[in-house]
Amino acid sequence: MQVILAQALLGLNVGVFYAMLSLGLAVIFGLLNIINFAHGAMYMLGAFIALIGYSLLEQWFGISLQIGFWASLLVAPLIVGILGVTIERFMLKRLYDLDHIYGLLLTFGITLILQGLFANYFNVSGTPYPGQPESLSGVVNLGFMYFPTYRLFAIIFSLVVCFATWYVIEHTKLGSRLRAGVENPDLTQAFGLNVPLMITLTFAFGAGLAGLAGVLAAPIYSVSPLMGADLIIVVFAVVVIGGMGSIMGAILSGLALGLIEGLTKVFYPPAASTVIFFLMVLVLLFRPAGLFGKEK
């Protein structure tokens, strides 16, 4: 039982990253109908911003400044969000009247460019992030296991961000305006709301979530140019299972699939890397709209 509980908690640790990345994808697709394949690259970029800000600013740019972990939680999502604004305003905006495949191909190309740029300067096998705060070092005794303090913080912080985002989109005036701008942009604009700006800021927010997830992942996983590519296919599967565009579906599916993946490592380890895709196939066969998606 101790092994099962420990592996479930480790699976939940993976699941919160699935949930945060899936949430960003769901926000962008659900509100803008854009399939953002560059989401994994933005996750990678967030991790590299944290790494560069902590240990490479002086070496590369001669700036005697160190951006610590706590500051990176704000700086990295902001920079990635600005990149999202640039991509939406100057690239994706031109493709809105075309088939979704054009946006997918564009964001796939952006992914390859970002991966190639960072692969030229960083080790593909990964670089450790040295900036984990002292206050989050050590372990916590949970009774059935000793669990790293930082991983416990990452779980709690990610859950707060995910459910706060869901609440804002589903239960506030801002969220209702965003949804109205997507469902009927002409009427919404007639009421004086700047729909193009809302679309741009929504894309930037989704990109910023990916950057934030990257900062949280940096102290746990090696920071690598391919860290986003390794994760984005799984995240797309999570979004499909939860329901394309479903905010709560993305969160709950990400958490549940992380748990399932962790428990699979206990009962049948060879299937751990494929169980999510097996479940995705079943969902597509019996409920194509996803577990929380709306059937058309």
Side-chain angles (χ1 to χ4, degrees):
M1 181 56 68
Q2 283 186 332
V3 173
I4 293 173
L5 290 173
Q7 200 60 55
L9 195 55
L10 291 172
L12 182 62
N13 194 188
V14 175
V16 293
F17 290 107
Y18 290 167
M20 280 195 72
L21 287 168
S22 302
L23 176 61
L25 273 181
V27 166
I28 291 173
F29 183 82
L31 297 178
L32 307 182
N33 275 332
I34 297 170
I35 302 174
N36 181 22
F37 204 86
H39 209 64
M42 292 171 180
Y43 162 76
M44 174 268 293
L45 185 59
F48 269 111
I49 290 170
L51 176 65
I52 293 169
Y54 187 83
S55 58
L56 297 174
L57 278 179
E58 186 170 5
Q59 178 182 333
W60 283 14
F61 306 106
I63 302 173
S64 56
L65 173 69
Q66 187 178 70
I67 300 176
F69 173 79
W70 300 112
S72 293
L73 288 175
L74 296 175
V75 173
L78 182 62
I79 294 175
V80 177
I82 292 172
L83 174 63
V85 169
T86 305
I87 291 172
E88 195 280 330
R89 291 297 263 183
F90 298 103
M91 300 179 192
L92 286 171
K93 190 176 181 180
R94 302 170 181 269
L95 306 179
Y96 284 153
D97 295 330
L98 303 177
D99 191 275
H100 291 320
I101 191 66
Y102 291 98
L104 176 62
L105 291 172
L106 172 65
T107 54
F108 179 64
I110 292 169
T111 297
L112 295 180
I113 291 170
L114 289 173
Q115 285 180 2
L117 285 174
F118 280 92
N120 285 333
Y121 298 100
F122 292 93
N123 191 345
V124 176
S125 62
T127 304
Y129 174 71
Q132 178 178 312
E134 284 292 327
S135 58
L136 297 178
S137 61
V139 295
V140 177
N141 185 0
L142 299 178
F144 58 91
M145 71 175 295
Y146 288 94
F147 196 70
T149 304
Y150 179 80
R151 286 179 178 258
L152 189 61
F153 161 78
I155 292 173
I156 296 170
F157 184 86
S158 300
L159 290 175
V160 170
V161 170
C162 287
F163 286 106
T165 301
W166 167 78
Y167 182 82
V168 168
I169 292 175
E170 298 293 340
H171 295 283
T172 66
K173 186 178 291 186
L174 174 61
S176 63
R177 288 175 177 175
L178 287 173
R179 297 195 306 275
V182 172
E183 293 171 7
N184 197 328
D186 294 332
L187 182 60
T188 305
Q189 195 139 359
F191 279 98
L193 295 176
N194 190 336
V195 174
L197 178 61
M198 290 166 57
I199 290 173
T200 300
L201 293 180
T202 301
F203 189 89
F205 178 74
L209 278 176
L212 179 61
V215 177
L216 288 171
I220 299 176
Y221 309 106
S222 293
V223 181
S224 161
L226 300 180
M227 63 188 295
D230 295 338
L231 201 57
I232 190 63
I233 303 300
V234 177
V235 171
F236 266 108
V238 172
V239 172
V240 170
I241 292 170
M244 294 293 284
S246 171
I247 307 299
M248 183 56 76
I251 297 171
L252 296 182
S253 295
L255 297 174
L257 291 169
L259 283 170
I260 291 171
E261 185 180 285
L263 292 174
T264 304
K265 292 178 181 178
V266 176
F267 296 104
Y268 189 60
S273 60
T274 58
V275 63
I276 290 177
F277 301 105
F278 176 73
L279 293 173
M280 182 187 73
V281 171
L282 291 179
V283 169
L284 287 174
L285 286 175
F286 296 103
R287 189 174 169 80
L291 298 179
F292 297 88
K294 295 179 181 178
E295 297 281 358
K296 292 183 179 180

